[in-house]
């Protein structure tokens, strides 16, 4: 089953048609939780839970045990539910389970929750294609739209700057973001309004040390600040390759805006917060913005190669050299 975004999966689960067997594949615990909850609400009425509702774990059970439980009939209810979490860890008697999946009991809802499975092997190749729910790639724009919805679900509001701060600090890790919102919802927040300062205080994330601030320092030519931010990020455990990739995405977006601005001086201002900031950063680079950004991107390609093993230097030294280069681009051109 194909989905355009991870939120489509959750919406689908709230109105899905019944199937006796379903397989949900996602590496995000939050998505697994939400989808399992929605599907159980749809297909289980709560009757006799000791008999009609069972949760198993792949590492603690066998294929034949799952098949046996799923083959039982419900007690005083229309359906019974059998959920197998961590189903990808199921190691024993998979053929027995595949046999059940091919001829399932129509009054049982058998739900497998997995992080990753090989669809060419038993028992997973026995699951009908239209009963497999796989998480699509998660992109920043999807998370950016989802965060205000998540805030609203916890009776919170959040401004655009705080949304961007969360994305720059946590990326697209929706499970981590959801966990932080659950913790923040318990705090005594004035007006229930989340600002960057409130989020930073409640999550413990340092506002200064993130890719957004690193890019801002580079654009402004503030070498000392950029060096400090990069060093702190690496010391805090940020992946240097990921840091470089994040800068590359941002600079490519800025490069497009620099050419749009050069060809249309009257272009309408962007409506979204991150695009507004990017346009301001492009303007701050001056009339040679596109040329400077091209240099930032070209040098990032060299940095990326070095970080992936083509340089004997440690990552912090490689980042130091990159920052020194790009923060002084004006001096060389002059």
């Amino acid at each position: 089953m194909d989905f355009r975004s991870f939120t489509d999966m959750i919406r689908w689960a709230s109105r899905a048609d019944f199937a006796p067997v379903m397989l949900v594949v996602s590496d995000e615990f939050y998505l697994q939780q939400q989808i399992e909850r929605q599907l159980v609400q749809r297909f289980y009425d709560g009757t006799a839970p000791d008999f009609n509702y069972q949760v198993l774990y792949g590492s603690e059970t066998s294929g034949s045990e799952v098949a046996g439980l799923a083959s039982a009939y419900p007690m005083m209810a229309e359906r019974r539910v059998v959920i197998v979490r961590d189903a990808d860890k199921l190691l024993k008697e998979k053929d027995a389970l595949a046999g059940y999946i091919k001829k399932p009991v129509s009054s049982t809802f058998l739900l497998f929750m997995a992080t990753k499975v090989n669809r060419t092997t038993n028992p997973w190749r026995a699951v009908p294609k239209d009963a497999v729910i796989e998480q699509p790639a998660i992109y920043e724009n999807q998370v950016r739209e989802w965060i205000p919805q998540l805030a609203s679900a916890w009776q919170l509001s959040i401004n655009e700057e705080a949304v961007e701060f969360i994305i720059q600090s946590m990326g697209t890790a929706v499970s981590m973001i959801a966990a932080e919102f659950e913790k923040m919802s318990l705090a005594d927040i004035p007006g229930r309004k989340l600002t960057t300062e409130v989020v930073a205080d409640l999550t413990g994330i340092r506002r200064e040390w993130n890719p957004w601030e690193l890019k801002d320092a580079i654009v402004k030519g503030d070498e000392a600040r950029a060096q400090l931010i990069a060093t702190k990020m690496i010391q805090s455990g940020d992946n240097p390759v990921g840091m470089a990739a994040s800068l590359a995405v941002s600079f490519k977006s800025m490069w497009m805006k620099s050419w749009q601005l050069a060809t249309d001086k009257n272009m309408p201002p962007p409506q979204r917060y991150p695009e507004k900031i990017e346009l301001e950063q492009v303007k701050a680079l001056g009339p040679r913005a596109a040329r400077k950004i091209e240099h930032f991107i070209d040098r990032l390609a060299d940095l990326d190669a070095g970080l992936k093993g083509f340089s004997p230097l440690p990552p912090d030294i490689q980042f130091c050299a990159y920052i020194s280069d790009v923060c002084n681009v004006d001096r060389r051109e002059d």
Side-chain angles (χ1 to χ4, degrees):
M1 202 170 294
D2 295 327
F3 299 96
R4 289 181 295 177
S5 72
F6 70 94
T7 52
D8 286 344
M9 294 178 68
I10 300 173
R11 283 192 290 269
W12 168 85
S14 68
R15 55 179 185 269
D17 294 327
F18 175 77
V21 178
M22 286 189 184
L23 167 62
V24 176
V25 183
S26 171
D27 59 4
E28 287 286 355
F29 180 66
Y30 169 78
L31 293 184
Q32 290 196 14
Q33 278 188 315
Q34 294 298 309
I35 293 167
E36 178 183 315
R37 180 175 62 83
Q38 295 279 9
L39 291 174
V40 170
Q41 285 179 352
R42 280 192 62 75
F43 304 140
Y44 175 56
D45 63 7
T47 302
D50 290 344
F51 296 97
N52 296 329
Y53 182 81
Q54 291 168 302
V55 177
L56 308 171
Y57 290 86
S59 60
E60 300 174 359
T61 190
S62 66
S64 59
E65 181 181 3
V66 174
L69 290 170
S71 297
Y73 289 95
M75 179 174 289
M76 298 180 295
E78 181 183 358
R79 296 194 186 105
R80 69 193 310 271
V81 173
V82 177
I83 299 171
V84 184
R85 297 172 182 165
D86 296 333
D88 42 311
K89 296 180 181 178
L90 191 68
L91 299 177
K92 300 177 181 178
E93 301 169 335
K94 295 182 181 181
D95 288 341
L97 183 55
Y100 172 84
I101 292 172
K102 292 174 183 177
K103 294 182 179 180
V105 173
S106 60
S107 57
T108 295
F109 176 52
L110 176 57
L111 175 62
F112 296 103
M113 309 298 297
T115 299
K116 187 178 181 180
V117 297
N118 183 347
R119 293 283 311 284
T120 66
T121 63
N122 275 334
W124 314 122
R125 65 182 175 189
V127 180
K129 184 177 180 181
D130 60 359
V132 179
I133 299 91
E134 292 189 86
Q135 172 195 305
I138 299 177
Y139 299 102
E140 279 191 6
N141 64 320
Q142 298 170 357
V143 179
R144 189 174 284 111
E145 294 172 358
W146 166 70
I147 288 175
Q149 300 170 20
L150 181 63
S152 179
W154 289 107
Q155 288 77 53
L156 297 165
S157 63
I158 186 168
N159 63 28
E160 290 182 322
E161 183 180 3
V163 171
E164 197 62 27
F165 173 67
I166 289 171
I167 290 174
Q168 294 301 322
S169 303
M170 304 184 201
T172 59
V174 298
S175 297
M176 181 189 301
I177 295 171
E180 291 296 339
F181 266 89
E182 185 173 0
K183 289 191 291 185
M184 289 191 290
S185 71
L186 303 175
D188 184 15
I189 303 170
R192 304 293 287 172
K193 297 180 179 179
L194 294 176
T195 63
T196 302
E197 290 72 19
V198 171
V199 171
D201 182 55
L202 293 177
T203 61
I205 299 170
R206 286 294 298 272
R207 182 177 182 178
E208 299 89 341
W209 322 138
N210 62 68
W212 188 263
E213 295 296 330
L214 176 58
K215 184 185 72 169
D216 184 66
I218 290 173
V219 168
K220 292 177 179 176
D222 189 341
E223 181 179 352
R225 178 165 160 256
Q227 297 284 16
L228 177 61
I229 293 171
T231 300
K232 290 290 186 181
M233 289 178 68
I234 293 172
Q235 289 176 346
S236 299
D238 282 83
N239 183 345
V241 174
M243 291 165 59
S246 178
L247 287 175
V249 170
S250 295
F251 284 139
K252 287 176 182 177
S253 179
M254 286 178 61
W255 183 83
M256 291 296 297
K257 287 181 175 59
S258 71
W259 281 107
Q260 291 172 351
L261 189 63
T263 55
D264 184 5
K265 299 294 184 183
N266 298 315
M267 63 178 284
Q271 300 300 310
R272 298 175 67 175
Y273 175 80
E275 294 177 351
K276 292 178 184 178
I277 300 300
E278 282 187 349
L279 185 59
E280 291 175 6
Q281 291 173 330
V282 169
K283 291 179 178 178
L285 286 170
R288 294 181 292 184
R291 183 175 174 180
K292 293 176 183 177
I293 297 170
E294 286 174 0
H295 179 72
F296 295 167
I297 295 171
D298 288 343
R299 287 290 290 111
L300 269 174
D302 297 335
L303 174 62
D304 181 69
L307 291 171
K308 290 178 177 176
F310 290 92
S311 171
L313 298 175
D316 56 340
I317 299 300
Q318 293 185 57
F319 248 104
C320 177
Y322 170 76
I323 290 169
S324 179
D325 183 317
V326 296
C327 283
N328 293 287
V329 63
D330 280 329
R331 296 180 186 176
R332 282 193 306 279
E333 291 191 348
D334 294 338

